[in-house]
């Protein structure tokens, strides 16, 4: 039976992929508390993503950089929130992340134990990493009663971002995009090179797909622009969009791609949340922990004896987990999935 509506505040994560996965929590909360108001404290960059989540009623930007304490900014935001929410759910496990709900005197404040924040939370939960073995499970668990969450067998609703069709039409025209069937490529991974499939492999795959009648769109931020140029070099019907689109634009353009070939990255989760077929490449990380939250996924993971190491750079110096994942495997997967679509 549904419970009564509440005013709920969620302190969101700091990474694109995690913010997409947080939608599973927002959906859960709306189902459990029909008519609830959901506010999200989040970095300013995440507002375009949260705007595509119909479950989120209001976003409260917290402009504090990584490593910054930002006492004044947190205190100012807490004053805005005072008296407006009944319960706060703190997703990050850092001490600082629990400060705003505490300073806002939100009556109920729940989160996992971490960084000695005992006095900041009213409900402190131990994190059982065996039961809650995925990031999305940990997020959703904090929206459930503790006894229900402890079982670990609850539903995980898949994120689904809304698409702006008018914006998509304008983007196609603005960037002069081909009308061929589109394959997205995401060569970046903020964590480090041990999660990045070689650019030469992306380039070879892009060339073979263009020859087969596809158009290739490379997505990423400004830091990925040079990588995008390497991938599209000398290829017709290949577009480097790295640094050329906003995050909201990337949502719409990825929804226009039949498939994407991507490292384990934030944009991988965006692509999954807009319905693209995801060819997900894993190196130093594992699909067991942060998989795309869709059945429309083809996982590419060699599971070597040294994997997953969760290191930014290969500690053995060879990065075989990615270098041995050859182009032919990805090509056959894309062509096979396109034929079966």
């Amino acid at each position: 039976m549904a419970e009564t509506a509440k005013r709920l505040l969620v302190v969101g994560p700091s990474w694109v992929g995690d913010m997409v996965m947080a939608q599973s929590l927002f959906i859960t909360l709306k189902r459990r508390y029909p008519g609830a108001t959901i506010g999200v404290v989040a970095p300013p960059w995440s507002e375009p993503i949260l705007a595509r989540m119909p479950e989120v009623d209001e976003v409260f930007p917290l402009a504090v950089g990584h490593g910054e304490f930002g006492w004044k900014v947190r205190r100012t935001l807490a004053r805005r929130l005072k008296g407006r929410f009944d319960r706060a759910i703190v997703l990050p496990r850092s001490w600082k992340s629990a400060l705003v709900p505490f300073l806002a005197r939100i009556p109920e404040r729940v989160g996992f134990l971490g960084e000695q924040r005992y006095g900041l939370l009213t409900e402190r939960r131990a994190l059982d990493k065996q039961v809650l073995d995925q990031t999305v499970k940990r997020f959703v668990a904090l929206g459930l009663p503790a006894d229900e969450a402890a079982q670990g067998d609850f539903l995980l609703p898949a994120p689904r971002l809304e698409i702006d069709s008018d914006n998509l039409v304008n983007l196609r025209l603005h960037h002069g995009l081909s009308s061929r069937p589109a394959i997205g490529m995401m060569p970046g991974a903020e964590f480090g090179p041990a999660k990045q499939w070689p650019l030469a492999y992306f380039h070879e795959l892009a060339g073979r797909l263009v020859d087969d009648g596809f158009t290739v769109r490379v997505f990423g931020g400004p830091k990925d622009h040079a990588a995008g140029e390497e991938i599209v070099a000398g290829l017709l019907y290949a577009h480097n969009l790295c640094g050329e689109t906003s995050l909201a634009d990337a949502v719409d353009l990825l929804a226009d791609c039949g498939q994407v070939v991507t490292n384990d990255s934030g944009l991988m989760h965006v692509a999954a949340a807009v319905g693209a077929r995801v060819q997900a490449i894993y190196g130093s990380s594992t699909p067991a922990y942060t998989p795309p939250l869709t059945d429309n996924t083809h996982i590419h993971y060699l599971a070597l004896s040294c994997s997953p190491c969760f290191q930014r750079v290969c500690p053995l110096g060879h990065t075989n987990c990615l270098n041995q994942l050859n182009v032919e495997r990805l090509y056959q997967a894309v062509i096979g999935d396109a034929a079966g679509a």
Side-chain angles (χ1 to χ4, degrees):
M1 183 175 177
E3 301 182 32
T4 56
K6 285 192 174 185
R7 300 175 299 169
L8 304 168
L9 181 72
V10 177
V11 179
S14 299
W15 301 97
V16 173
D18 287 356
M19 193 62 78
V20 174
M21 287 187 282
Q23 191 181 14
S24 296
L25 167 63
F26 306 148
I27 296 170
T28 299
L29 292 173
K30 284 289 190 177
R31 290 175 179 174
R32 182 168 288 270
Y33 306 108
T37 297
I38 297 180
V40 181
V41 174
W45 63 258
S46 67
E47 288 187 82
I49 287 287
L50 292 167
R52 300 302 185 90
M53 300 180 183
E55 302 80 16
V56 175
D57 297 292
E58 191 168 2
V59 180
F60 302 97
L62 182 63
V64 177
H66 289 294
E68 290 183 37
F69 187 76
W71 170 256
K72 183 176 180 181
V73 175
R74 296 179 196 275
R75 185 176 57 185
T76 299
L77 177 56
R79 286 172 180 162
R80 284 183 60 199
L81 300 177
K82 207 164 189 177
R84 295 187 57 184
F85 293 94
D86 307 306
R87 184 173 180 84
I89 299 170
V90 183
L91 298 186
R93 297 178 64 199
S94 68
W95 183 77
K96 292 183 292 187
S97 63
L99 267 177
V100 169
F102 172 76
L103 293 172
R105 296 295 185 264
I106 296 173
E108 300 174 12
R109 306 182 299 276
V110 61
F112 290 116
L113 289 170
E115 289 194 3
Q116 301 297 318
R117 54 186 188 172
Y118 295 96
L120 301 180
L121 300 174
T122 61
E123 183 182 342
R124 299 172 294 276
R125 298 186 185 179
L127 173 58
D128 186 336
K129 294 183 179 181
Q130 297 297 114
V131 174
L132 303 177
D133 56 347
Q134 294 180 349
T135 299
V136 65
K137 287 184 181 179
R138 298 172 188 182
F139 289 172
V140 172
L142 288 176
L144 302 173
D147 57 347
E148 186 177 339
Q151 303 304 311
D153 58 354
F154 43 80
L155 293 176
L156 296 172
R160 183 59 66 191
L161 301 176
E162 294 183 329
I163 308 304
D164 185 337
S165 298
D166 291 337
N167 186 48
L168 175 57
V169 171
N170 291 332
L171 288 168
R172 283 173 172 169
L173 294 172
H174 176 74
H175 293 286
L177 300 179
S178 168
S179 59
R180 288 178 164 203
I183 304 290
M185 290 188 174
M186 284 88 91
E190 193 71 24
F191 185 73
K195 288 177 71 173
Q196 297 171 352
W197 202 44
L199 292 178
Y201 292 12
F202 272 109
H203 173 73
E204 181 183 342
L205 179 60
R208 294 178 69 174
L209 293 173
V210 166
D211 288 344
D212 285 340
F214 293 95
T215 183
V216 170
R217 300 172 184 171
V218 186
F219 295 92
K223 289 188 289 186
D224 300 311
H225 185 79
E229 288 296 286
E230 187 171 336
I231 292 170
V232 305
L235 300 178
L236 295 174
Y237 305 108
H239 307 270
N240 179 17
L241 300 175
C242 297
E244 303 296 325
T245 60
S246 68
L247 190 51
D249 292 341
V251 170
D252 296 327
L253 287 167
L254 284 168
D256 193 43
C257 293
Q259 297 189 57
V260 298
V261 179
T262 175
N263 297 321
D264 176 17
S265 65
L267 285 177
M268 175 187 75
H269 292 283
V270 173
V274 296
R277 173 69 169 171
V278 179
Q279 305 287 345
I281 299 170
Y282 285 81
S284 65
S285 58
T286 167
Y289 182 53
T290 53
L293 301 180
T294 173
D295 293 333
N296 196 21
T297 298
H298 195 148
I299 298 293
H300 300 275
Y301 179 54
L302 295 180
L304 302 181
S305 60
C306 54
S307 301
C309 68
F310 298 109
Q311 299 298 309
R312 295 178 183 273
V313 178
C314 176
L316 302 178
H318 53 57
T319 320
N320 283 343
C321 58
L322 293 171
N323 289 329
Q324 291 181 0
L325 194 58
N326 60 53
V327 174
E328 182 65 18
R329 171 171 170 164
L330 270 294
Y331 174 75
Q332 292 298 336
V334 172
I335 294 301
D337 289 348

